């Protein structure tokens, strides 16, 4: 049944939708600060003093995304403050009899040049040395919260900014949480609220809390409390730290929460209100049991993976190259393959392009290495979790401790290749003879390119096969039989030499590259015209013909001069 229309239907988009932006708006609150607040929040005078003391000329200013709207005003305030310092230096260095030369001395001093880094290559908590080196910066001023990971090349001035926080509601919430005034409590806060810890501790001491400890910021992610000091009465064993409770201001990153969960007795989190006028929230008891169970299930699920991808998510954190080599050695010692990828900010779309990778290992700062991989096609692990995943089910023991700092991973025990190990589990005892269990000795090429027999995976109910890792290429020797006590007599007959060409990638024999080179049939565009396929009725490709050419207004087909 057809439907009749009295008027023509509207087939165009309404005018109200033409310029509608489908991008969701950002929920980051933007505060309007006065000029005095800019000077106080971003510590302009202290920053200028450190820059002048370091005698740096090119300064890169790195802001978090929620602080970029303050960047121009901070730039102007810091430029004005640096000029004031130069004028003060020229005034102090002036000759006593030549006051008129003060302006000349001020102009002779080098002028600092400031650069705003509008975007970061990796996480905002890390110092972006790559972007700073593009302008040849001498130092980076990092504003906002930071992971405080040590940098590799450039010096850094960390300005955490001073965020407002009401102390009276905070004290009330603390007393409701810890009614016993003899309780051992560690006071800790995010770096942007760390300036309130000393005043909070003093107020608690006046109220009778004699066992409270105020932490101080240090640049050491390997500390028992990452980047924080610990009480002096705690020994080297750090077992006494489990007798202390932790009161944390602001929501900590998930990686910090997992680290602290196994080191202190309990953790209470005081969510910082968005503004001082907001009603004070109630402290919440933090629990990481579910997160730890999920991480343990994730690492056990990749125990049968044969190919790992190493994601380098930082180029600035110190010792990241040592960790990459450490992870490669662990994967090779387990008889598995690894491929290295350098990416910017990790997302699911990037890593989904490599379907051969069974699991990923992120090499980043101690905060950004932990990625929730529920939206990823393959699991994403940290180097600490990879070490546990490569251990056998009978060897794997996890006490619940979780860590992500580089130094702890490098100092920890690890399985390494034996000096005579070929990477496949066989150890050379000095005898170069081939027996029935040997597949490759002294660079010999195994006739069977496949790997070890498949194993049954109880988790998936399937057989899993492992790919052989690439081995360093050495001299090629071929043995046709076992050596006997009586050597064969020498012969002067001509024999055909065995073809010993193998595909090599980076100085290592690659079975995958050899398969592509020998088995691939398509050689690219135009290959039909140049070669013939190895088929009984093969024939040369057709003759190439000139196609359509010209512009959109009119084309020419081949040699025809007529426009179409």
């Amino acid at each position: 049944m057809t439907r009749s229309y009295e008027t023509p239907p509207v087939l165009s988009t309404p005018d109200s939708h033409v310029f509608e932006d489908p991008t969701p708006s950002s929920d980051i609150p933007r505060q309007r600060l006065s000029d005095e607040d800019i000077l106080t929040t971003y510590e302009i005078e202290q920053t200028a003093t450190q820059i002048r003391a370091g005698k740096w000329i090119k300064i890169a200013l790195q802001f978090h995304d929620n602080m970029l709207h303050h960047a121009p005003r901070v730039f102007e305030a810091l430029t004005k403050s640096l000029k004031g310092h130069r004028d003060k230096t020229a005034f102090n260095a002036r000759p006593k009899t030549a006051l008129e030369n003060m302006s000349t001395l001020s102009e002779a001093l080098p002028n600092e040049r400031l650069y705003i880094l509008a975007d970061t290559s990796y996480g905002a908590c890390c110092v972006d040395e790559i972007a700073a080196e593009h302008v040849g910066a001498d130092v980076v001023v990092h504003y906002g919260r930071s992971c405080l990971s040590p940098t590799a090349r450039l010096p850094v001035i960390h300005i955490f900014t001073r965020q407002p926080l009401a102390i009276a509601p905070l004290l009330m919430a603390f007393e409701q949480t810890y009614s016993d005034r003899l309780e051992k409590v560690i006071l800790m806060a995010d770096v942007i609220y760390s300036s309130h810890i000393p005043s909070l501790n003093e107020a608690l001491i006046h109220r009778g809390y004699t066992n409270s400890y105020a932490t101080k910021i240090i640049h050491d992610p390997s500390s028992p409390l990452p980047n924080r000091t610990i009480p002096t009465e705690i020994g080297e064993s750090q077992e006494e730290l489990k007798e202390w409770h932790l009161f944390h201001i602001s929501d900590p990153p998930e990686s910090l929460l997992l680290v602290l969960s196994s080191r202190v007795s309990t953790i209470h989190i005081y969510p910082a209100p968005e503004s001082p006028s907001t009603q004070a929230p109630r402290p919440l008891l933090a629990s990481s049991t579910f997160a730890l169970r999920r991480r343990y299930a994730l690492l056990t699920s990749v125990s049968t993976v044969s190919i790992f991808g190493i994601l380098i998510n930082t180029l600035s954190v110190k010792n990241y190259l040592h960790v990459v080599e450490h992870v490669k050695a662990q994967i090779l010692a387990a008889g598995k393959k690894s491929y290295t990828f350098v990416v910017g900010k990790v997302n699911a779309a990037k890593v989904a392009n490599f379907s051969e990778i069974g699991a990923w290992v992120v090499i980043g700062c101690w905060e950004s290495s932990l990625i929730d991989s529920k939206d990823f096609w393959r699991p994403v692990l940290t180097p600490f979790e990879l070490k546990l995943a490569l251990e056998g089910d009978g060897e794997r023991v996890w006490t619940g401790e979780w860590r992500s700092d580089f130094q702890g991973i490098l100092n920890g025990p690890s399985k390494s290749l034996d000096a005579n190990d070929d990477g496949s589990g066989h150890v050379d005892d000095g005898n170069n003879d081939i027996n029935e269990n040997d597949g490759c000795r002294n660079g010999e090429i195994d006739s069977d390119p496949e790997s070890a027999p498949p194993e049954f995976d109880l988790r998936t109910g399937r057989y899993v096969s492992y790919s052989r890792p690439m081995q360093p290429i050495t001299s090629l020797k071929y043995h046709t039989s076992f050596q006997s006590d009586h050597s064969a007599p020498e012969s002067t007959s001509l024999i055909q030499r065995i073809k010993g060409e193998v595909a090599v990638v980076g100085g290592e024999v690659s079975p995958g590259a050899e398969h592509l080179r020998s088995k691939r049939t398509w050689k690219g565009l135009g290959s039909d015209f140049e070669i013939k396929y190895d088929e009984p009725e093969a024939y040369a490709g057709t003759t190439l013909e000139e196609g359509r050419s010209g512009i959109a207004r009119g084309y020419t087909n081949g040699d025809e001069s007529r426009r179409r």
Side-chain angles (χ1 to χ4, degrees):
M1 180 177 180
T2 60
R3 181 179 177 183
S4 60
Y5 293 92
E6 297 181 356
T7 59
V10 178
L11 301 179
S12 60
T13 304
D15 296 339
S16 59
H17 296 173
V18 173
F19 297 104
E20 184 176 353
D21 187 6
T23 306
S25 59
S26 176
D27 55 354
I28 300 176
R30 293 191 175 186
Q31 301 177 359
R32 177 63 182 177
L33 301 179
S34 62
D35 293 341
E36 293 295 331
D37 293 336
I38 290 289
L39 296 177
T40 304
T41 302
Y42 291 91
E43 304 178 15
I44 300 298
E45 290 299 325
Q46 295 87 329
T47 306
T49 302
Q50 295 185 51
I51 292 175
R52 294 294 300 173
K55 298 181 180 180
W56 295 303
I57 303 302
K58 293 184 178 181
I59 301 97
L61 308 180
Q62 180 179 345
F63 296 84
H64 273 251
D65 293 340
N66 59 340
M67 297 180 178
L68 278 176
H69 60 287
H70 290 156
R73 300 177 62 191
V74 174
F75 181 93
E76 294 177 0
L78 187 57
T79 301
K80 185 182 299 183
S81 179
L82 289 172
K83 185 179 182 304
H85 279 261
R86 288 196 304 270
D87 295 341
K88 184 178 180 180
T89 303
F91 181 82
N92 294 333
R94 76 190 188 284
K96 296 183 178 180
T97 59
L99 294 178
E100 63 276 2
N101 294 333
M102 186 182 66
S103 60
T104 305
L105 291 173
S106 179
E107 294 176 359
L109 295 175
N111 295 335
E112 293 82 4
R113 301 180 61 182
L114 306 180
Y115 302 88
I116 298 177
L117 305 183
D119 191 14
T120 55
S121 303
Y122 299 97
C125 64
C126 300
V127 177
D128 195 351
E129 288 185 326
I130 304 302
E133 288 180 343
H134 287 170
V135 297
D138 302 321
V139 65
V140 179
V141 181
H142 187 278
Y143 292 99
R145 71 171 314 277
S146 172
C147 60
L148 296 178
S149 298
T151 55
R153 296 176 291 274
L154 295 179
V156 184
I157 299 176
H158 286 282
I159 303 299
F160 304 126
T161 68
R162 297 179 179 179
Q163 301 298 328
L165 182 66
I167 298 298
L170 180 58
L171 289 172
M172 185 181 302
F174 187 91
E175 290 179 338
Q176 294 176 357
T177 305
Y178 303 102
S179 56
D180 186 4
R181 282 171 166 71
L182 299 179
E183 200 79 62
K184 295 182 178 180
V185 182
I186 297 176
L187 304 178
M188 186 173 174
D190 201 355
V191 291
I192 60 177
Y193 296 102
S194 58
S195 59
H196 301 281
I197 291 295
S199 58
L200 173 63
N201 188 41
E202 292 180 1
L204 291 175
I205 293 176
H206 292 161
R207 298 196 178 196
Y209 289 92
T210 57
N211 291 329
S212 61
Y213 175 75
T215 57
K216 297 180 181 179
I217 295 179
I218 58 175
H219 295 255
D220 185 12
S222 302
S223 175
L225 300 178
N227 296 321
R228 300 296 189 279
T229 57
I230 59 176
T232 55
E233 57 266 26
I234 296 179
E236 296 181 357
S237 63
Q238 302 174 6
E239 289 295 329
E240 298 178 358
L241 189 60
K242 295 182 179 180
E243 302 176 359
W244 291 73
H245 303 274
L246 182 68
F247 186 80
H248 194 279
I249 302 175
S250 181
D251 294 327
E254 185 177 2
S255 57
L256 177 60
L257 186 60
L258 293 180
V259 170
L260 295 176
S261 61
S262 61
R263 301 184 181 182
V264 296
S265 178
T266 59
I267 304 174
H268 284 84
I269 300 175
Y270 178 80
E274 297 181 358
S275 62
S277 59
T278 308
Q279 184 177 2
R282 184 179 181 85
L284 303 176
L285 179 63
S287 176
S288 59
T289 305
F290 177 77
L292 288 174
R293 285 203 307 261
R294 188 176 184 278
R295 300 304 301 183
Y296 187 77
L298 192 67
L299 66 91
T300 54
S301 66
V302 302
S303 58
T304 56
V305 170
S306 59
I307 301 178
F308 286 87
I310 302 175
L311 284 172
I312 300 180
N313 193 32
T314 180
L315 296 177
S316 303
V317 178
K318 189 178 181 180
N319 291 334
Y320 82 94
L321 288 177
H322 297 80
V323 176
V324 172
E325 296 301 326
H326 182 79
V327 169
K328 286 182 179 180
Q330 285 183 327
I331 297 175
L332 183 60
K336 303 183 179 184
K337 288 184 178 180
S338 65
Y339 297 92
T340 305
F341 301 84
V342 179
V343 299
K345 297 177 181 178
V346 180
N347 55 50
K350 289 182 180 179
V351 299
N353 292 322
F354 309 97
S355 58
E356 298 83 3
I357 304 299
W360 297 92
V361 184
V362 178
I363 308 297
C365 74
W366 68 278
E367 287 188 6
S368 62
S369 296
L370 180 61
I371 298 178
D372 189 2
S373 57
K374 62 181 181 182
D375 296 330
F376 288 72
W377 190 38
R378 298 297 188 187
V380 182
L381 306 178
T382 65
F384 171 76
E385 295 170 342
L386 174 69
K387 175 181 176 297
L388 295 175
L390 295 178
E391 295 178 352
D393 292 339
E395 302 175 357
R396 186 183 302 115
V397 177
W398 192 11
T399 60
E401 181 185 6
W402 195 92
R403 64 185 311 164
S404 60
D405 58 286
F406 282 176
Q407 200 61 37
I409 296 171
L410 292 175
N411 294 340
S414 62
K415 179 183 178 182
S416 59
L417 281 173
D418 190 88
N420 297 322
D421 194 354
D422 62 357
S424 59
H426 303 287
V427 179
D428 192 356
D429 57 357
N431 187 5
N432 292 329
D433 297 343
I434 299 180
N435 53 49
E436 59 183 1
N437 295 326
D438 286 339
C440 178
R441 279 296 169 274
N442 251 348
E444 301 166 7
I445 304 301
D446 193 354
S447 59
D448 184 9
E450 299 297 330
S451 14
E455 298 180 1
F456 185 75
D457 186 7
L458 296 175
R459 301 175 183 84
T460 60
R462 299 178 181 177
Y463 281 97
V464 180
S465 59
Y466 297 95
S467 301
R468 175 184 300 169
M470 295 190 301
Q471 301 295 334
I473 184 171
T474 56
S475 59
L476 300 177
K477 296 181 180 179
Y478 293 87
H479 299 262
T480 57
S481 62
F482 298 106
Q483 295 179 355
S484 58
D485 296 337
H486 303 283
S487 59
E490 296 183 358
S491 175
T492 58
S493 302
L494 296 177
I495 60 174
Q496 183 180 3
R497 182 179 179 180
I498 299 178
K499 188 177 182 180
E501 296 180 0
V502 292
V504 178
V505 177
E508 297 182 352
V509 178
S510 173
E514 176 64 23
H515 174 79
L516 291 177
R517 191 185 69 170
S518 59
K519 303 297 183 180
R520 187 177 61 181
T521 58
W522 190 68
K523 304 296 183 181
L525 295 176
S527 59
D528 293 347
F529 184 73
E530 298 175 359
I531 63 174
K532 297 181 180 181
Y533 290 130
D534 298 332
E535 297 180 0
E537 299 179 357
Y539 57 90
T542 58
T543 305
L544 297 179
E545 298 180 357
E546 183 179 357
R548 176 177 293 184
S549 62
I551 60 177
R553 187 175 60 181
Y555 297 100
T556 301
N557 293 330
D559 297 334
E560 298 179 6
S561 59
R562 182 170 56 88
R563 299 265 184 185
R564 294 185 183 274

